[in-house]
Every structure is written in C-alpha cells, then in structure tokens.
C-alpha cells in the first residue's frame, strides 16, 4: 500500500491473533471459483478455490479456555509477557465469515462489507485466495495477465477496496517457523512493502514485546517487529480514485518475507529500510487526466468493470525481465485503454508503468527514489517470479486517511503542483471515525477472477480515448518538451517497442490484429505471431 501499513480496526471484544489452533469454532473457508485461461480463449474453472481470513482478525485466547490473550489494543500481560510465551499459550480460532466479518461468496463473487454489526462490531477485513485447506494459491504473473471484475460503487472517500499480490510463504510460514501451528489455513504469514508492525504474530512468535497501543485506533497497536516482503498492488481504489503500484523489497529471496526491527522497518527514516514504501504508482487523476475514472466518467465507477493487468517481459516468457505493466478496462463491451499522463512539457504521454515512466515521474513530481534504490521494475519482476499470494481487502486508514489515494497529498501542498492532486475528495475527508459512522453499508465486490496468457481473459471492442483538458492550474513550461497527450497504442501492445525504419516492426512489437494499422513486417530473426484477434507480436 502507498503510505502506511494496513492498520485495520476490529472492535470484537476478543479479537487477536495466535499461532496455536483453538477448537471452539471450526474453520470452513468460503468457496470462491476462478479461471485459468490459455491463448485462443479457452478458460478452465478452478472450482475448489476458497478464501481464508487473515489471522489478525481472529479471536485469540488461552489454549483450552476462553480467556483473551489480546483485548482492544493491548496484550493481556497476565497471560503472557514474552513473544515466545504468547505464541505457545495462545490459540487462534476459526471464523464465522458472514455473521462476524461480513464476508460472503457466491460462485465466483466475493463480497467484503466494511461494517458488520452483530454481538460486536467488525470493521474491514483481509482474505487470501487458497489452493487447498492448508496452502495459499501461488501466482507467477510474468508474461501473463490477471483479470477480475469489481464493483466499487459503494466505496466513498476514505475507503480502499484493494486487490494485490505479496510474496508470502505458501503455507503461511508453518514449515519455516516451528512456533506457527496455524499456518495458511488460519491466515498467518502476512507481509508487505510497508513492513507493517501491527501484525500480532510474526515468524511463529508473538509481537507483544514492546507493543504500543495506537493513540487513534482502539483496536490496533505497533510491536517491536515488522514483516516485510515484495508487493504488487494490482488495485487500490474507491469510487473516486484508483492506482496500481509495484513495490520492490531488498529482503531475502528477491523480496521474500523477512522479519524486521528498527530502521529495517523504515522507521524512523521512511526510505531507509528493507522495502520501497511508496512504489511507482499510476493513478490517472494524479497523472493529469481528471476525466478518466470516477462516477459517470470514461471508466464509470457507478457500474461494475473488468480490470485487466498485463505483465510484459523482455523475451515474452515467464523467465524474462519485467519491462512493463499495462492496465486496461472492459465496460459495457468496450475495451478502454488506460489513461496517459497529461502534463505536456513535463512528462511524455506514458500509458503504462515502465522504468522510464517511473524515473521521469519521480523526477517530475519530486518524489523520493526509493523505487529505484530497491531495484525498480526488474527487481519487482524477480520477486513476482518467486510466486505471490493474492490478497483482497477492504479498509480505512488511521494513519493518512486515504488522502494519498483520493485527495491532495500532502495536504499542505499546492494542489495545482503536478503530482499533488490524486482525487476529488476533500483534504479533511477520510477520518476513520466519520467513515465508519457515515458509511456503514460500504462494500466492495470482486468477481470473475481470471489468470492466463496475454489477451486470453477478456474480449470487446477497443475504443479511442478523448483528449482530456489540461489539469486546472497547469501551464506547459515555455520551451519544454513539446509532448502531447494522445491516446496510447492498443492496450495489449508493449509500449516499450517502436516501429523500426522502413515500416519494419522491432522484436516484441505489434505487427497485426483487428484495428491495427502499423508495420506488419517483423525485424530479422522474428516472426509475426498471432496472440489473439486483436494482437499479433514479433517474436
């Protein structure tokens, strides 16, 4: 996530996390089917898919009785006083997904409700896609595309319905850490690029030593340890703004899970730790197109949409170097290319995430270069090749009020300065207390998850984007680069390639497809190969 760790608020009287397993509530994962697709449009259904609730939400108690190990935002020091003791004495329970947490599935659809009221009140949730009862589903997305439908119409300012990948252990760390008896079945092993310290158990031990209760969240706190790993944010969004963001990490195993302490956790120096906390984000609004995403806009958030993310490698294989991450939408039968940057004279008209986009964007917006420090897109690709777990969540933000996603951030900066405005939400919006009180019916629905060859998971008619007006207050610099913000190429075309002289397309460039009018002759040593009806590539 972009600004802070996911600090979720759950006001269940007996909510916490443990590594032993309780026996008061049986754990039954809600089923969630998804599809694997191959070139040519053939998709097979994985009917045994399911989701597991993150362990941080679960009730933890003394093994064999009902005494809480953690209540509110503090550990019960009469039960245990050390990390090892809390791990050995506390048990994590199974979950009542619908009644307690507002989590339901139906076929290929997952609904996450923001506020769920019963005997107690639950706020937000985080779940993982499962391959079996005891293992997470692992994905290597290189040279593939990942697609899903989402309905964000009931997500106002201050909320985030997120879908992303993190380099967690397949079994939740159960084999690696002897103190972890719960494993993936009970949602253990979480990590991300923020190196979150609000996780109550890390590496099979409690995080109770040095735990400090949050001053503004009655159900959260920070421990002495954090947990870091590479993170690829496919989707962070509400009905106002959206972003997708790679976050590389300099941990072991090319971004694999690693427990951190002190400065390793990016504290106190935000950019001095193991991971890139900011990432290289592409938010259409922040990049200058204020007409692209939102209620009634080109991508209309009043309606369900299909989100397609493609991971382009330099050699068109799952073992290649990641060179580009592309995004497109499908809505009402239209294939909608992603918006381009819209600051002529300051930025070229990028419509995807590449190393040049990240380098130029960081420079233009005066952002920290933590992304480059941790290896950039190439390192992110090596992390993804190791296998990532799919995470789906709904949350509010006790640290930065989600302003980094949907408002002007930092709040004391001029919103007319390129890169500051990220959405139309007011700078005083997003207070968790207000969001929880005023939007209890908020929810996000993820459905129709597909994973497969590039061009295999969607269909429709590609449209051309209208030319958006310049952002308010922006005047192209005199004598600057005379770039224009025209619509980018067909969404499945790797934008890192351009036509070679003499109407000959370069390696990995597009050479054919419905609506294509560019070069059809490939450079020497490559052949024009049909990927689907819309896209042929020189390989």
């Amino acid at each position: 996530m972009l600004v802070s760790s996911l600090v979720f608020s759950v006001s269940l009287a007996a909510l916490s996390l443990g590594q032993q397993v309780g026996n008061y509530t049986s754990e039954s994962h809600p089923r969630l089917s998804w599809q694997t697709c191959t070139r040519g449009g053939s998709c097979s259904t994985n009917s045994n898919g399911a989701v597991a609730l993150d362990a941080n939400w679960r009730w933890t108690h003394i093994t064999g009785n009902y005494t809480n190990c953690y209540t509110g935002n503090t550990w019960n020091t009469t039960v245990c006083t050390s990390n090892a003791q809390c791990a050995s004495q506390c048990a994590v329970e199974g979950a009542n997904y619908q009644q307690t947490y507002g989590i339901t599935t139906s076929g290929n659809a997952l609904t996450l409700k923001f506020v769920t009221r019963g005997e107690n009140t639950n706020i937000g949730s985080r779940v993982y896609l499962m391959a079996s009862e005891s293992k997470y589903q692992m994905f290597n997305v290189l040279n593939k595309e990942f697609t899903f439908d989402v309905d964000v119409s009931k997500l106002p300012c201050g909320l985030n319905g997120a879908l992303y990948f993190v380099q967690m252990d397949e079994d939740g760390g159960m084999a690696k850490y002897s103190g972890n008896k719960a494993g993936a079945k009970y949602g253990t092993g979480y990590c991300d690029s923020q190196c979150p310290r609000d996780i109550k158990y890390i590496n099979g031990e409690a995080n109770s030593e040095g735990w400090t209760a949050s001053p503004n969240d009655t159900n959260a706190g920070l421990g002495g340890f954090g947990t870091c790993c590479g993170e690829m944010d496919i989707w962070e969004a509400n009905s106002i703004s959206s972003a997708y963001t790679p976050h590389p990490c300099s941990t072991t195993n090319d971004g694999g899970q690693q427990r951190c302490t002190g400065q390793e956790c990016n504290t106190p120096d935000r950019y001095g730790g193991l991971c890139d906390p900011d990432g290289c984000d592409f938010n259409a609004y922040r990049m200058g197109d204020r007409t692209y995403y939102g209620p009634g806009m080109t991508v209309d958030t009043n309606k369900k949409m299909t989100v397609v993310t493609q991971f382009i490698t330099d050699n068109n294989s799952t073992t290649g170097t990641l060179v580009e991450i592309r995004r497109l939408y499908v809505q009402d039968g239209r294939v909608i290319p992603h918006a381009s940057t819209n600051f002529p004279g300051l930025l070229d008209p990028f419509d995807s995430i590449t190393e040049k986009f990240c380098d130029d964007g960081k420079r233009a917006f005066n952002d920290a270069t933590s992304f480059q420090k941790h290896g950039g897109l190439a390192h992110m690709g090596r992390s993804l090749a190791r296998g990532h777990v799919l995470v789906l969540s709904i949350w509010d933000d006790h640290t930065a009020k989600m302003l980094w996603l949907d408002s002007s951030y930092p709040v004391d900066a001029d919103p007319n300065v390129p890169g500051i405005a990220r959405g139309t939400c007011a700078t005083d919006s997003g207070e968790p207390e207000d969001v929880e009180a005023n939007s209890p019916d908020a929810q996000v629905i993820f459905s129709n998850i597909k994973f497969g060859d590039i061009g295999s998971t969607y269909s429709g008619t590609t449209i051309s984007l209208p030319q958006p007006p310049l952002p308010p207050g922006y005047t192209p610099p005199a004598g600057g680069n005379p770039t224009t913000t025209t619509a980018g190429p067909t969404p499945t075309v790797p934008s890192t390639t351009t036509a070679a002289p003499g109407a000959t397309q370069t390696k990995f460039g597009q050479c054919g497809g419905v609506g294509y009018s560019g070069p059809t002759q490939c450079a020497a040593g490559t052949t024009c190969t049909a990927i689907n009806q819309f896209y042929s590539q020189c390989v």
Side-chain angles (χ1 to χ4, degrees), residues 13 68 93 142 173 196 287 299 311 391 412-413 476 512 514:
N68 296 342
E93 277 296 336
L142 295 187
M287 295 302 160
V299 178
F311 297 83
V391 188
D412 57 352
V514 175

Side-chain angles (χ1 to χ4, degrees), residues 83 113 139 143 150 276-277 293 302 377 400 411 484:
N83 291 345
K113 293 187 178 298
F139 290 90
N143 196 43
V150 64
D276 168 28
Y293 178 95
N302 291 323
L377 210 56
V411 296
T484 58

Side-chain angles (χ1 to χ4, degrees), residues 16-17 31 44 57 104 113 130 158 185 232 241 251 259 284 322 339-340 347 353 357 371 376 385 393 448 457 523 526:
S16 71
L17 168 67
R31 293 292 179 187
S44 59
W57 270 258
T104 58
K113 293 187 178 298
M130 304 295 290
K185 180 176 181 178
M232 177 64 225
S241 296
T251 61
R259 189 168 70 175
L322 181 64
S340 294
L347 283 172
I353 294 176
F357 163 78
F371 180 78
S393 68
N448 201 27
T457 67
T526 64

Side-chain angles (χ1 to χ4, degrees), residues 162-212:
L163 182 151
Y164 56 107
F165 287 112
V166 291
Q167 198 177 334
M168 294 167 62
D169 291 330
E170 184 179 25
D171 66 354
M174 194 172 184
K176 189 183 295 183
Y177 307 111
S178 60
N180 185 347
K181 308 300 182 184
K185 180 176 181 178
Y186 291 87
T188 69
Y190 182 72
C191 55
D192 67 34
S193 65
Q194 304 303 319
C195 299
R197 293 167 53 210
D198 64 315
I199 307 301
K200 300 185 186 77
Y201 272 78
I202 303 172
N203 291 11
E205 294 185 352
N207 197 16
S208 58
E209 296 176 24
W211 186 269
T212 302

Side-chain angles (χ1 to χ4, degrees), residues 326-395:
R326 297 192 62 79
R327 164 62 49 80
L328 61 92
Y329 295 89
V330 183
Q331 194 173 53
D332 298 330
R334 303 170 302 148
V335 177
I336 307 171
H338 198 273
S340 294
T341 51
N342 189 29
F343 291 107
L346 181 66
L347 283 172
D348 290 335
F350 299 102
D351 65 349
S352 64
I353 294 176
T354 63
E355 290 288 1
K356 182 170 174 51
F357 163 78
C358 296
D359 290 345
D360 291 1
K362 296 288 186 183
R363 186 182 309 112
F365 294 165
N366 198 30
D367 286 349
T369 56
S370 178
F371 180 78
Q372 291 87 338
K373 170 187 173 183
H374 290 284
L377 210 56
H379 195 187
M380 187 75 250
R382 294 197 298 273
S383 171
L384 291 167
R386 297 282 186 176
H388 276 224
V389 174
L390 179 64
V391 188
L392 307 101
S393 68
I394 183 171
W395 60 290

Side-chain angles (χ1 to χ4, degrees), residues 12 37 42-43 112 133 147 165 175 177 205 227-228 264 295 297 321 335 339 362 404 421 427 449 462 507 528 531 533:
L12 293 167
C37 302
S42 175
C43 295
L112 302 177
E133 281 295 298
T147 298
F165 287 112
Y177 307 111
E205 294 185 352
T227 178
C228 312
E264 290 180 330
M297 296 189 184
T321 299
V335 177
K362 296 288 186 183
W404 55 268
T427 54
I449 293 171
T462 302
K507 187 176 182 179
C528 189
I531 305 300
Q533 62 177 323

Side-chain angles (χ1 to χ4, degrees), residues 36-70:
T36 303
C37 302
T38 57
R39 195 163 294 138
S42 175
C43 295
S44 59
T45 299
N46 302 284
S47 57
N48 290 326
V51 294
L53 177 69
D54 183 281
N56 235 34
W57 270 258
R58 297 172 183 267
W59 172 37
T60 286
H61 54 84
I62 295 178
T63 304
N65 74 46
Y66 289 88
T67 302
N68 296 342
C69 289
Y70 181 97

